Amino acid sequence: MPDRIKSSMPERIKSNRTAAREGVFISYARSDGKRFAAKLRKRLDAEGFPLWQDVIAMEGGRDWWLQITDALDNVEFMALVITPNALKSDTVRKEWRYARQQGVCVYPIKGSPKVDFAAMPRWMSAKHFYDFDEPLQWEKFLNDLNTRCQTPRVPFMVEDLPPDFVPRPGEFDQLLSSLLNRQSGDPVAITAALRGAGGYGKTTLANALCHNEEVENAFDGGILWVTLGESPGDLTGRVIDLVQVLTGERPSFSDINVAAARLRELLAGRNALLVIDDVWDSVHLTPFTQTAGRGARLITTRIIDVLPRGSRRVDVDAMQTDEAVALLGFGLPVGCEVELGKLARRLGEWPLLLELANRALRHRVEDLHQPLPQAIEWVNKSLDKRGLTTFDARDPKAREQAVSKCLGVSIELLDPAERARYGELAVFPEDVEVPLATLAKLWARTGALDDFDTEALCERLDRLSLLQRFDPNARVIRLHDVVRGYLISEQGEGLASVHDALLEAHRPANAAWAELPRDEPYLWDHLAHHLIAARRGDELIATVKDLRYLAAKAIARKALAVEADLLAAEGLAADDVTLRALRRSFVQSGHVLDRCENRDAAEATLHSRMQGVEELAPLAEKLARALRRPFVEPAQPLPDLPDPALVRTLAGHSASVNGCAISGDGSIIVSASGDNTLKVWDGRSGAELRTLAGHTAGVSGCAISGDGSIIVSASLNNTVRVWDRFSGECLATLHTDGHLYGCAVYPDGERIVAVGARGVYFLRLVR
């Protein structure tokens, strides 16, 4: 905060401010609120109130929303000038909602006599609106600003609705009536549940409910959301996340019962809605359903037995025909509603099936430029061949197999050999783009396909919408995760043999994985995955103990990638002393290996640094017998061997490193160098995240704000620069009259100190 404002601030205000948050943020619509806001700013400034740089909420502009949230993260009060144009904007509601989430006191002010209170949701219109045309309202406003803001945080942990969202009033109104007294609008303290098969839109319905104005009005204590899934693991962290949202601070509970007790305490007496999404086991509900108070819980699940006794259940079934047609026709040209209706009914009006069919139709219309009637005809012919007309949409058991039925529309169009090849795609990891060259090696072994046949089959799979991506130019494919999960279940125990076939298709002639070609596009990254899945864990352990393999992969993929293989092997044999020593020594030497230009140099370097480690001596001796002659061997221990306490060395600067800083949570490290740059590193893996370039002389020092969002650097070119840690953008530059040798930043990220040849500089970041 500027010293000018601090000195003029009334003492009564100073005493009531918190150290972390101070001041007033004025927001307004430029079109009809700018003049009023300017007068308000002038009057508040005359009273000595600290004012945040106001943001024009009604205009986009670059980073406009980031500016708003940054202001609301740092002030106690928001003075929101309400005008007709402000009321028309979703931004105002979003801004006001965010202020409530952050515990900021929102003081709405009538900036026009034409404010329509009926157009506002109740949680907005119920607030006191200051009208400065009324006597004593200005004095009340000043008095309220003189009082420390103590409004509780009102969370809204809900994602935006998807672009293809289709309202489903039948289920929605039933659910709304379960949670609210529709006459009074008050919440009902119950547990409600959405139950239905996977892919029937339970989560989307819950999302839509949370965005409903009646729900936001009724649950004025906030809306919280936690997603569990089939295997949520330790739930302590999920409970702590909710506690942090409610308090703004992250506690350090290690016991689930203690964390749940704190959550129960925070929710007591609060009109809050807690959504517990995708529950598979009733045990997982316990920490979240023990809460007391006037709020409610909404559970989504596909398993009826997990629901607590007395839950008001809403079954989520097939969509209505008009809803299904809207979803099936999303993004498609208008027309053909009758044909889309017939297809929707044929698909059982099931949202997941409709989305998959919509994707197939859009692919043919948008990518293949096929007219919509012909695209629908093609899908219907596919259904004819698949025989989906025998599918009874009223059979719950059949619906549980709906993904299988939907995928079968295209899969059954493949001949048996093609179907077998498609099923083998289950071996590839999630979210991986598979090179066609890799696939060709697998399919050459399992189906005698050559490169041309492989690409042709991939193109056919893409036409049948069985691939998420097929790029013949980049020569890669990608499988959708839902499809991958289905294929894995279809393969069952036979999947291990497919992993084995993939490995054997790539095995080097001498059987040593160290001899993989340096330009191998896939297996360097995923060898460990396939060895483990093929139940060949012993082979993985033996492979990483081959120092020639470690050297070869370091040249092919850099040292950090080798560390992943060592960790995977260590996970299979946690008690293996040699593996632990090998990983520690390799990580310590990673920065040296990354400077090696070829495999021979990497092998010799690895040998020179491993031979002095007692546990690794046998591995080093084995490597020595395979080294290309001649090679250099140290006559005595190298002088730069690391101390056992060293974890890793970060290398990448091209000149001396003059300073470093670490974030409060240890997640990032920043280094300053004479090469005119800063580098940002992952504090755990040591991976280089980005380089910050802009100084025209050596960077002499750096610092990180308390929350890790701001990086400050000082340079010998007489400048201080402020950087956004996440984007790498230079936010501000200040020129001084002398070389700078170091800097520091206050925890709030707003005040900076720099030291240099001409003295000490105290600086303030104005946003």
Side-chain angles (χ1 to χ4, degrees), residues 147-163:
T147 305
R148 180 174 176 178
C149 177
Q150 295 182 336
T151 185
R153 289 171 175 258
V154 182
F156 188 77
M157 300 173 62
V158 188
E159 295 182 354
D160 292 336
L161 284 167

Side-chain angles (χ1 to χ4, degrees), residues 700-702 713-715 720 739-744 753-756:
S700 53
C702 58
S713 58
S715 172
V720 172
H739 294 341
L740 297 177
Y741 302 131
C743 60
V753 178
V755 296

Side-chain angles (χ1 to χ4, degrees), residues 650-668:
L650 308 180
H653 285 295
S654 59
S656 61
V657 177
N658 301 322
C660 63
I662 186 167
S663 63
D665 60 2
S667 63
I668 64 164

